[in-house]
Amino acid sequence: MRKTVAFIGVGLLTATVAACGGGNQAAGGSGTLTLAESVTATPWDLAKASMGPESQYYQPVYDTLIRLNTKGEPTPNLATSWSYDKAQTTLTLKLRTGVKFTDGTALDATAVRDSLLHTKSGTGTAAGEIQDITGVEVVDAHTVAVRLSHPTAALLPALGQVSGMIVSPKALTNPKTPVGSGPYKLDTAASTAGQTYTYTRNAGYWNAKAFPYDKIVIKYLADPTARTNALLSGQLDGATLNLNRVKTVKGRGLNVVTYQPGDVEGLFIWDRAGKKVPALGKLKVRQALNYAFDKQAIIKSAKTGLGTATTQLFAKGEDGYQAALDDTYSYNPTKAKQLLAEAGYPNGFSVTIPDFSAIFPQEQAALTQSLKDIGIKVKLDTLPSDQIFSAMLSGKYAMSYFKLGAPTAWDKVQLELTKKSTWNPFKYDDPKADDLISRIGKATGSERDKLFTELNTYVVDQAWNAPWSVLANAYATAKDVKVTPQPGSQYPPIYNYTPAN
């Protein structure tokens, strides 16, 4: 299983991109690092924050209590050391002294307490990561004790992500601009909300040497072709690539790294109770959907052969992963039609799904054709790319193409498998799964492993989703920029970018 090293364990270019990329200017602590994001920024209020690729917008400003290294292991950051009590329900953190927020306020235990509790009070995925916290006690000016409802291996990894970011007390609630103690501060005069975010150095940052660039610019660029063209023209220093562009970009001399962050893609079934589309409430229908997809053909055509076929939400190396589960459903459209008939849908059914063709053209084509091949009538709903996800979250679609990624299996559980999960728009509730999830949260060691396996097996058997593959991801950087991928992260964190020389 993926180690948590604890005690127990997702538009076009909307503004002209100035040709200010070129991390080659960054050697010696100068220059600008210009990156592209495929998703828009979420609110600066961390109680409303998301845990996905949106986190890259937060990283320059908000520092975290824990720093996850390139192996995903927790290391000191704002917290210099930590320890658990014997019951494993209190985590005591010693805080770094002399740290200030960019508004001049000192970072102390009270600020840490208030920031953690404020994030926890929200409904975003960052809040969900720390719901096991029952309280935070100020022990002294630079020591906090985090109280837990039960032992959990998820806390330390969470404190190294958005959930563990600390905000200035003066900008805690609904800030118009972010105020943190991180290596950079937002330059509002050079930023355009929803388009471009410019960050300049925090002159007082305690670990400036770890961040070699004087300025970071993050641009929202949803269109993958626009991202690739901007990379090739030197307007960007870093961006994700569609896998079918890897060879071209490498051929132009740029750096490309490929890796598996643990993201799983496929058909995600949101309406498992059949509230919007009654057919989806029947197990045999959901199982039929799992037999509809030729996963290897999709990987070959849409992913240039990079990726691993799967039927499960958890990736190899994550808690609960079982290789044998990947044999549960094979490509068999005849069996899919048979199951549909047995469920009372011999002529299939109709469903409206979001059209991801602008972002994931081959994946959307494969999804649509595969469903049509077993008799399902598909209507594609076309929305601007920056509106699709909010429509999905509102429960507009009973199912859709999707890819889910998170640093750990527990994070995936919190993102999709609980009644309160962000990516459970119909708030589907299953008592057996609820019980297993509750027990996993309290268990340790081999018992926790066993329960995770039970949960994964149950979710696969009940066909909650129809996964296709564990994704390979490709990230390209300019010739003079080096980046190291991070376990469980689609986008490398900003502290993993350095000049190549």
Side-chain angles (χ1 to χ4, degrees):
M1 63 181 175
R2 179 174 293 171
K3 294 175 65 178
T4 55
V5 196
F7 66 111
I8 45 178
V10 179
L12 297 171
L13 184 54
T14 52
T16 301
V17 183
C20 61
N24 59 327
Q25 301 172 355
S30 62
T32 298
L33 179 71
T34 304
L35 310 175
E37 269 279 6
S38 64
V39 297
T40 54
T42 50
W44 296 117
D45 185 346
L46 294 186
K48 303 174 183 177
S50 299
M51 289 285 295
E54 302 94 330
S55 62
Q56 200 175 58
Y57 292 105
Y58 298 127
Q59 290 166 355
V61 176
Y62 298 134
D63 218 353
T64 51
L65 288 167
I66 304 294
R67 173 65 48 79
L68 300 180
N69 66 18
T70 54
K71 296 181 179 180
E73 302 166 343
T75 64
N77 199 43
L78 289 179
T80 57
S81 64
W82 52 85
S83 61
Y84 279 95
D85 66 345
K86 186 176 181 179
Q88 311 285 1
T89 55
T90 299
L91 174 68
T92 300
L93 299 154
K94 295 289 185 180
L95 304 177
R96 190 173 301 277
T97 60
V99 176
K100 290 187 177 182
F101 297 103
T102 54
D103 61 5
T105 306
L107 186 146
D108 59 12
T110 300
V112 169
R113 178 198 64 192
D114 293 350
S115 191
L116 286 175
L117 293 179
H118 176 72
T119 298
K120 179 184 180 296
S121 72
T123 58
T125 53
E129 290 288 298
I130 53 175
Q131 287 306 300
D132 293 330
I133 295 177
T134 59
V136 181
E137 175 188 342
V138 174
V139 178
D140 60 41
H142 293 94
T143 308
V144 293
V146 181
R147 312 293 186 191
L148 298 167
S149 58
H150 52 76
T152 174
L155 182 59
L156 282 177
L159 296 182
Q161 303 170 68
V162 178
S163 304
M165 292 179 175
I166 306 302
V167 185
S168 170
K170 295 180 180 179
L172 198 57
T173 305
N174 295 320
K176 294 182 179 180
T177 58
V179 181
S181 63
Y184 300 89
K185 55 186 178 180
L186 183 69
D187 182 349
T188 56
S191 300
T192 302
Q195 296 181 13
T196 304
Y197 298 84
T198 299
Y199 307 85
T200 56
R201 273 198 184 277
N202 171 10
Y205 187 62
W206 64 274
N207 194 19
K209 290 190 295 185
F211 298 89
Y213 299 100
D214 285 338
K215 183 187 295 185
I216 291 179
V217 178
I218 302 178
K219 293 181 172 290
Y220 168 53
L221 261 176
D223 183 75
T225 300
R227 289 198 302 271
T228 301
N229 291 340
L231 279 164
L232 294 175
S233 65
Q235 297 173 316
L236 290 176
D237 295 311
T240 57
L241 280 182
N242 277 6
L243 294 173
N244 60 4
R245 301 305 301 272
V246 168
K247 185 176 181 180
T248 298
V249 172
K250 279 186 174 181
R252 294 283 292 272
L254 276 69
N255 303 315
V256 180
V257 290
T258 56
Y259 52 99
Q260 285 195 349
D263 295 14
V264 173
E265 76 167 344
L267 175 66
F268 278 68
I269 304 168
W270 312 117
D271 185 19
R272 302 180 199 114
K275 294 179 180 179
K276 192 177 189 72
V277 178
L280 296 176
K282 294 183 179 293
L283 175 58
K284 287 187 176 182
V285 170
R286 300 196 303 271
Q287 290 175 333
L289 295 173
N290 275 269
Y291 285 107
F293 300 102
D294 188 340
K295 300 169 187 177
Q296 295 294 352
I298 294 173
I299 292 171
K300 182 178 180 179
S301 62
K303 308 298 177 184
T304 67
L306 297 173
T308 304
T310 191
T311 65
Q312 53 193 305
L313 195 62
F314 306 136
K316 184 177 181 179
E318 295 178 350
D319 295 312
Y321 170 81
Q322 294 291 305
L325 285 176
D326 287 334
D327 296 326
T328 306
Y329 306 104
S330 57
Y331 176 53
N332 193 334
T334 300
K335 187 173 182 63
K337 292 177 182 179
Q338 177 186 335
L339 286 168
L340 286 173
E342 292 176 2
Y345 295 91
N347 299 313
F349 58 92
S350 299
V351 64
T352 298
I353 62 176
D355 187 0
F356 277 100
S357 298
I359 310 174
F360 306 109
Q362 292 173 297
E363 292 85 348
Q364 182 65 69
L367 172 63
T368 304
Q369 188 60 52
S370 297
L371 293 176
K372 289 182 178 179
D373 287 346
I374 63 169
I376 297 175
K377 304 165 189 67
V378 178
K379 178 183 178 181
L380 295 179
D381 186 29
T382 303
L383 290 175
S385 57
D386 59 348
Q387 296 179 23
I388 293 179
F389 292 109
S390 60
M392 291 166 64
L393 288 169
S394 73
K396 184 175 183 179
Y397 307 108
M399 63 187 196
S400 70
Y401 168 81
F402 192 64
K403 54 182 178 180
L404 182 72
T408 68
W410 182 249
D411 294 324
K412 289 180 178 178
V413 169
Q414 298 303 308
L415 277 171
E416 211 233 347
L417 301 186
T418 76
K419 185 177 181 179
K420 295 181 179 179
S421 292
T422 298
W423 286 106
N424 182 10
F426 287 82
K427 303 308 172 189
Y428 180 73
D429 193 25
D430 183 294
K432 182 172 180 178
D434 290 345
D435 178 65
L436 287 169
I437 292 168
S438 177
R439 290 160 62 194
I440 290 169
K442 300 174 183 177
T444 62
S446 61
E447 177 65 16
R448 187 173 187 268
D449 296 341
K450 178 183 176 182
L451 291 168
F452 245 120
T453 299
E454 287 185 38
L455 176 65
N456 193 19
T457 302
Y458 181 70
V459 168
V460 171
D461 288 344
Q462 293 295 304
W464 281 24
N465 299 302
W468 302 342
S469 64
V470 180
L471 289 169
N473 200 52
Y475 197 91
T477 57
K479 298 177 182 179
D480 47 10
V481 176
K482 177 183 177 181
V483 70
T484 303
Q486 188 84 0
S489 179
Q490 182 183 9
Y491 286 72
I494 60 165
Y495 48 82
N496 283 2
Y497 295 81
T498 60
N501 298 326

